[in-house]
Structures are given as C-alpha cells and as structure tokens.
Amino acid sequence: MDERLSKALEFSNYRNTIENQKHNLRARVESLTTVTYNNGTFKADKSTISFVKTLIDYNNGDRIAVVDERTNPIEIENPQEFYEDLMLSYNAAMNEFLIESKKLAKARSIKKIMDW
C-alpha cells in the first residue's frame, strides 16, 4: 500500500476513535447528570440548579413543585436536599468530563486513547 494512503488511513482511524470517545464521554456525562427524586427524573444542569435555588430562596425552604424530564409535576418535600443532590451530580459529572477531555486532548495515538 502506498505510504501516503497508509498514513491517511491511520489518521482517519485516529479521528474516528477520538470522535467515538467524545461521543461516549458525552453519553456518560448525560447519565451522571440524571437525578431521580421522589419518583421524578431530573436533569442536573445549570438551568435546573438555578431554578431550584431560586425557588428555595423565594419559598424560604418550604415544599416546592418542579416539573421533571417527563413533564410530570413532582412535589419536592426537602428542597435543600434536592438542590444538594443536583449540585453533587453536576459537579461529579463535570469533573469527570474535564479529566477525560484532557486525556483525549493529550492522546496522540489510538493506543493512548483506548488506554491500551
């Protein structure tokens, strides 16, 4: 096989592997930011966290109602605990996302990407 063609194929495989790893990492982050609370499923993202914090501040910590990912209204009996669960999930996911993204950025071969 021509050396240029071989190098182009190798680079293409490298790029595909990087993209697959990024896709898997995003799916992992998506999973880590899913929080279940009181039979509801919530996304621990910036907007949900801010919204819940605003409701807590406005309602002085009393019970609140929040619509979950399936558009069901869920009563949150302990808003502070719910807020802390969202924050913990978000922080854990973002820390893992950062660490794994840095690893991918430094990887210069398929073996390093796949941790072989």
Side-chain angles (χ1 to χ4, degrees):
M1 184 185 301
D2 183 20
E3 185 178 335
R4 291 184 315 168
L5 183 58
S6 177
K7 287 188 178 200
L9 183 59
E10 185 178 323
F11 182 73
S12 175
N13 287 339
Y14 168 77
R15 293 302 306 159
N16 280 338
T17 303
I18 288 281
E19 288 305 313
N20 286 339
Q21 291 298 319
K22 285 181 181 180
H23 175 75
N24 291 342
L25 182 55
R26 287 185 203 107
R28 173 90 172 123
V29 168
E30 182 78 22
S31 173
L32 288 173
T33 56
T34 301
V35 175
T36 56
Y37 191 90
N38 201 19
N39 296 323
T41 303
F42 300 91
K43 185 78 178 150
D45 57 8
K46 294 180 275 187
S47 62
T48 305
I49 292 169
S50 297
F51 179 69
V52 169
K53 180 63 174 158
T54 301
L55 286 175
I56 290 170
D57 292 346
Y58 181 74
N59 290 328
N60 296 321
D62 294 341
R63 294 178 180 199
I64 59 175
V66 180
V67 176
D68 73 350
E69 290 291 305
R70 296 184 206 118
T71 64
N72 295 320
I74 305 295
E75 182 179 30
I76 307 298
E77 296 173 359
N78 188 341
Q80 190 61 39
E81 178 185 65
F82 178 58
Y83 173 73
E84 289 169 7
D85 288 349
L86 290 172
M87 287 296 295
L88 287 173
S89 294
Y90 180 81
N91 284 332
M94 291 304 112
N95 286 336
E96 183 169 328
F97 189 39
L98 179 64
I99 290 167
E100 294 300 320
S101 292
K102 284 181 179 180
K103 284 182 187 177
L104 282 176
K106 289 180 182 178
R108 295 293 175 218
S109 70
I110 292 176
K111 288 182 180 181
K112 285 186 179 180
I113 295 168
M114 302 302 291
D115 289 327
W116 288 346

